[in-house]
Amino acid sequence: PEFTDAVCFITESNQGRSTVALQLNRPIKTGLAELIEQKGFESTIDEPVYRGGSFNPSALIILHDSDWFSSNTMNVNRDWSISSDYFMIEKIALGNMPMEFRCILGVTGWENDELEQELEKTKPKWILLKNPTKKLITEDFDRQYSLALTEYSQKQVSEIF
C-alpha cells in the first residue's frame, strides 16, 4: 500500500480545502544526476530521488533548508522550503546546492478535510508530528519511519510529564 510506513512532510494545508505533502522515504531507481542530464546539463551528483506521491509524478521538487532559494521557492516553515523550477536544476548542476535537501518526484494530496477526518478517527492511520527535527527530515530513508515514531512518542510523553 502507498502509505504503509510512509513519512510525509506537509508542505501546504488550507483549512477546509486541501493538504499537500511529500513522501520522504520512498526512493526510486532514478538518481538526481540522471534527472539533471535529462534537462541538458552534465552532472556527477550522487543523490537519490524519492517518490513524493502519485499526483504530478513528473514534477521535480526539492525540499531544502530555507537558506537556499531559486526562482520558485516557497517557504514551508522557518527551517524548510520547497523549490520546483528549471533554474534550480541549473543551479544544482553548477554546484550551487542547499546544505540539506531531498529531491522528490510528485506529491501526495488530500481533498477538503480528508486528512483531518482520518486523523480524528478512533484508530487513525496517521500520526501527526508538528515541527519534526532536522534529523528526521534528513535521515536515511530506511530509518525515517522508526525515527518518526520515536520523536512522536517522546513528544507525547513530554506533554504528559
Side-chain angles (χ1 to χ4, degrees):
E2 183 176 358
F3 293 114
T4 301
D5 297 343
V7 175
C8 298
F9 185 87
I10 295 175
T11 59
E12 197 173 338
S13 183
N14 302 311
Q15 193 67 25
R17 293 195 308 222
S18 63
T19 302
V20 178
L22 305 171
Q23 289 187 46
L24 302 179
N25 61 335
R26 298 284 192 257
I28 63 173
K29 292 180 182 178
T30 305
L32 181 57
E34 185 177 335
L35 292 177
I36 289 173
E37 288 167 3
Q38 288 173 4
K39 298 295 183 184
F41 297 99
E42 291 185 22
S43 179
T44 58
I45 298 168
D46 186 26
E47 287 290 329
V49 176
Y50 297 85
R51 181 181 183 274
S54 56
F55 296 107
N56 205 2
S58 62
L60 179 61
I61 300 156
I62 298 182
L63 173 65
H64 55 84
D65 60 84
S66 290
D67 294 330
W68 190 84
F69 63 92
S70 188
S71 62
N72 187 26
T73 296
M74 180 181 91
N75 288 332
V76 177
N77 59 36
R78 74 178 195 285
D79 298 319
W80 298 100
S81 297
I82 56 173
S83 295
S84 184
D85 58 62
Y86 185 80
F87 185 55
M88 73 177 189
I89 296 169
E90 182 178 358
K91 285 179 76 167
I92 290 172
L94 295 172
N96 181 345
M97 295 181 288
M99 292 294 292
E100 304 286 348
F101 68 99
R102 189 158 290 219
C103 300
I104 300 162
L105 284 174
V107 300
T108 296
W110 296 267
E111 292 295 323
N112 301 323
D113 289 327
E114 186 179 11
L115 181 59
E116 287 83 1
Q117 290 170 8
E118 288 182 22
L119 289 167
E120 292 171 1
K121 289 181 179 176
T122 306
K123 293 184 179 181
K125 298 177 189 177
W126 302 94
I127 59 170
L128 187 60
L129 183 60
K130 294 181 180 179
N131 301 314
T133 64
K134 180 186 256 188
K135 179 172 175 50
L136 176 59
I137 303 301
T138 59
E139 183 63 75
D140 288 338
F141 75 92
D142 55 348
R143 293 193 293 259
Q144 275 184 310
Y145 183 74
S146 63
L147 182 58
L149 293 177
T150 299
E151 283 190 22
Y152 180 78
S153 299
Q154 289 171 345
K155 286 188 181 191
Q156 292 300 104
V157 168
S158 70
E159 288 178 11
I160 294 171
F161 296 104

